[in-house]
Amino acid sequence: MDERHGVSAPEGQQGRQAEQRQRGGQPERGEHGEQHAKERRDPAAERDADGDGRAETGEERADRRWQELLQEIRVAQTGVQILLGFLLTVVFTPLFHDLEQTDKTIYLVTVVLGSLATGALIGPVSVHRIVSGRQVKPEAVVWASRLTFAGILLLLATLTSALFLVLRVATHDPYVPWLVSGVLLWYLLCWFALPLWVRTHYASGT
């Protein structure tokens, strides 16, 4: 009992705690509880490892990237499969045997490039199937992305070589290399230069 104030000790302690809360403070136990709560919230707050505004875990980010990669692969696969299917039929046409040896060599190089591009673009599907359920999806996404980029480069070479062959056979014009170079430059602009420019000027944090 506090004789001067006429209140018991427990009541005085409760009064001091209430006064401390009114001033913005909390009892010691409350401060520790808040600190532990913050520690529990920190992992969730730091899930945005890429800084893109998405609160994702590593597995969630890998799932999203894999779905995005599949959409990209479908676009590239369609083009390369149609082109390769067309190229494989050329050798069975009567006109093929009348081609010059140089044109036949260009054709063979084009077919090989198309086959390599097809393998690289189908590779991510095989990677996913083999490593599925092994808890390595983030790593699988990285390697699938590398295969896809290699497939795009091989597809670029295939298209350029096929265009060069077709124009040589169709026109025999000495300006064919210059025309093919112009088309190649357009491919490079659309596929690489423009995306890199957008990445440089509009990426978050720049």
Side-chain angles (χ1 to χ4, degrees), residues 102-103 106 159-169 176-177 180:
T102 301
D103 295 330
I106 297 173
L159 289 171
T160 305
S161 180
L163 179 63
F164 183 61
L165 175 62
V166 170
L167 293 180
R168 268 180 58 93
V169 174
V176 166
V180 174

Side-chain angles (χ1 to χ4, degrees), residues 5-75:
H5 295 85
V7 294
S8 61
E11 293 177 353
Q13 183 179 3
Q14 293 178 359
R16 287 193 297 271
Q17 291 178 352
E19 183 180 359
Q20 186 178 7
R21 285 195 295 270
Q22 291 176 356
R23 293 178 179 177
Q26 290 184 351
E28 184 178 354
R29 181 178 299 179
E31 292 176 357
H32 287 301
E34 183 180 359
Q35 182 178 0
H36 291 314
K38 287 182 178 179
E39 291 176 355
R40 291 194 298 269
R41 290 195 299 266
D42 282 343
E46 293 178 356
R47 289 193 302 175
D48 183 19
D50 288 347
D52 56 2
R54 293 184 175 96
E56 299 173 320
T57 64
E59 291 298 327
E60 291 171 345
R61 187 177 301 108
D63 289 337
R64 174 176 58 82
R65 288 179 172 175
W66 178 254
Q67 293 301 321
E68 293 175 351
L69 186 61
L70 282 181
Q71 297 298 325
E72 297 167 0
I73 291 174
R74 289 191 183 101
V75 173

